[in-house]
Amino acid sequence: MNTSTSSTASLPGGAWVTGDQTITRFGYGAMQLAGPWVMGQPEDRDGALAVLREAAELGITHIDTSVAYGPRVTNELIREALHPYPESLFIATKVGAERDAQGGWPTARRPEDLRQQVRETLESLGSEVLDLVNMRMGDAQGPQPGSIAEAFETLAGLQQEGLIRHLGVSNVTSEQVAEARTIAPVVCVQNMYNLAHRRDDDLIDRLAAQDIAYVPFFPLGGFTPLQSETLSRVAGRLGTTPMSVALAWLLQRSPNILLIPGTSSRAHLRENVTGAGLSLSEEDVAELDTIGH
């Protein structure tokens, strides 16, 4: 598939320039295309391929994946659905974890681990070079303090070899972002952030001033019942869903925020696109801002 029927301007949020490539701020996260617990093949393989092709037809040019999803499953689905890749398509991936037999996510950040993950990513995607590789740090509880230098230097070396175009960081502290930037240019930070979890407010603003993208994951993760009640009240008033409001708020929060909501349903994908395009008033935003403060 070498063309899409929509332009970036038709998607919520318009476009963002990442490194040397213009991509849609509304992207797609492929994690949910793998089987249960992000392990194994999807129950409906044809349906999974259809979602990826629908994303391309909608004009989405930013797809997020990882060789650990499946493992390899989402990468292989992307390859089957979209290869040969159009020049406009930007595939972001991440390294730093592997999968165990129980479906866990043990860290794998030694230089040899990272080189192996990059090789497997290239092979499973059918690519000669990766558009963006995020170095994932921390653990399931979130970012953890510590140096990112050895791991990020390994990726910078692979970038110099011509295997990676752009580098990013994921699940990181502000200090790790700063340390990574002393090693090589960082075009993207991917952390947990949403209406209820706003630890990165200051970081987002600093990154925006430096033209660095911020990609939040779990747009509805970790809400308390009271916070969910506030979100649902705003959504009800606007005649839409809480997810739509959460996505729209993120797009309006800062121009450097890129969205990668995931789904295994074509209909849900279209709903997410429509919902993210919702226009929130100043009053709506003020009420929603009470959730995270």
Side-chain angles (χ1 to χ4, degrees):
M1 180 176 294
N2 291 302
T3 60
S4 62
T5 58
S6 304
S7 69
T8 59
S10 67
L11 287 163
W16 174 263
V17 178
T18 297
D20 58 356
Q21 190 162 346
T22 299
I23 63 175
T24 53
R25 286 183 66 204
F26 188 97
Y28 173 72
M31 185 173 72
Q32 293 186 31
L33 294 183
W37 308 105
V38 201
M39 288 290 284
Q41 295 292 332
E43 292 183 7
D44 181 3
R45 187 177 181 86
D46 289 342
L49 296 171
V51 170
L52 288 163
R53 290 170 179 145
E54 180 79 12
E57 288 294 321
L58 289 170
I60 291 170
T61 59
H62 174 203
I63 293 179
D64 181 85
T65 184
S66 171
V67 73
Y69 298 163
R72 295 176 61 108
V73 170
T74 61
N75 284 2
E76 290 167 354
L77 289 167
I78 290 168
R79 180 178 184 173
E80 183 174 344
L82 302 177
H83 196 278
Y85 304 121
E87 291 185 5
S88 60
L89 185 63
F90 187 90
I91 300 177
T93 186
K94 62 187 71 65
V95 293
E98 57 189 10
R99 306 304 299 278
D100 60 28
Q102 292 72 44
W105 303 77
T107 59
R109 299 181 188 139
R110 297 175 303 171
E112 57 267 34
D113 295 330
L114 299 175
R115 286 191 285 266
Q116 176 64 23
Q117 289 168 58
V118 167
R119 286 193 295 270
E120 289 190 9
T121 301
L122 288 164
E123 180 184 350
S124 55
L125 284 172
S127 299
E128 295 182 356
V129 58
L130 301 176
D131 294 323
L132 168 66
V133 175
N134 287 308
M135 183 61 237
R136 182 171 173 84
M137 301 296 291
D139 56 28
Q141 279 66 54
Q144 302 297 330
S147 176
I148 196 174
E150 182 182 41
F152 205 69
E153 286 168 356
T154 300
L155 294 188
L158 293 169
Q159 183 183 43
Q160 291 169 0
E161 291 177 28
L163 299 180
I164 302 171
R165 289 196 177 94
H166 304 294
L167 299 176
V169 290
S170 177
N171 206 33
V172 287
T173 65
S174 294
E175 292 76 16
Q176 288 165 341
V177 175
E179 184 182 22
R181 294 187 68 203
T182 68
I183 297 168
V186 172
V187 304
C188 168
V189 174
Q190 189 179 107
N191 275 2
M192 180 174 176
Y193 179 82
N194 58 39
L195 274 164
H197 289 264
R198 300 186 57 174
R199 176 176 55 191
D200 279 355
D201 267 336
D202 290 343
L203 176 61
I204 288 170
D205 294 338
R206 292 198 303 273
L207 294 174
Q210 297 157 351
D211 292 327
I212 297 173
Y214 185 94
V215 183
F217 54 80
F218 296 136
L220 277 180
F223 278 64
T224 68
L226 183 61
Q227 291 169 330
S228 295
E229 182 180 320
T230 301
L231 178 60
S232 295
R233 182 171 63 248
V234 174
R237 186 169 69 238
L238 297 174
T240 187
T241 65
M243 182 66 166
S244 294
V245 173
L247 292 176
W249 179 84
L250 285 167
L251 277 184
Q252 290 185 214
R253 165 65 181 82
S254 182
N256 66 323
I257 288 182
L258 313 183
L259 302 183
I260 51 167
T263 178
S264 58
S265 159
R266 293 170 64 196
H268 190 210
L269 174 62
R270 291 190 293 268
E271 288 173 8
N272 284 342
V273 171
T274 301
L278 183 70
S279 180
L280 300 173
S281 69
E282 291 183 6
E283 293 76 14
D284 296 328
V285 172
E287 184 172 356
L288 291 168
D289 280 346
T290 66
I291 292 174
H293 290 120

